[in-house]
Amino acid sequence: MQRLSVEEKDLRETFYHCSGSGGQKVQKTSAGVDLMHLPTGTHVRCQRERSQGLNRFLARRLLMEEL
């Protein structure tokens, strides 16, 4: 994020309940991450893992790849 000069204030992050594999864990918690880079309008979603923290990291990585 530093290399691309992207700051946290430029990101809008929301969380949602996942669907699919993972059982009750993903259905009870908001583990899915919806991340948008406001200046460019680039948008990514990540629900790959059961952990919200890991999904937040992966979503940021996906967003940096898009930018």
Side-chain angles (χ1 to χ4, degrees):
M1 288 177 60
Q2 291 175 347
R3 189 174 56 184
L4 295 175
S5 301
V6 175
E7 298 181 24
E8 284 291 326
K9 67 179 183 172
D10 295 335
L11 303 176
R12 185 181 73 204
E13 182 176 49
T14 55
F15 305 101
Y16 60 93
H17 292 279
C18 298
S19 61
S21 63
Q24 292 178 352
K25 169 67 176 159
V26 296
Q27 295 167 1
K28 289 181 186 175
T29 61
S30 296
V33 178
D34 188 22
L35 192 62
M36 178 179 247
H37 185 242
L38 297 173
T40 61
T42 306
H43 177 260
V44 295
R45 294 182 77 155
C46 183
Q47 64 175 26
R48 217 180 277 174
E49 302 294 330
R50 291 171 52 178
S51 164
Q52 185 185 72
L54 190 52
N55 282 332
R56 289 181 76 201
F57 171 77
L58 293 172
R60 280 167 174 70
R61 205 164 80 184
L62 287 170
L63 183 65
M64 294 308 114
E65 289 174 7
E66 290 288 322
L67 295 176

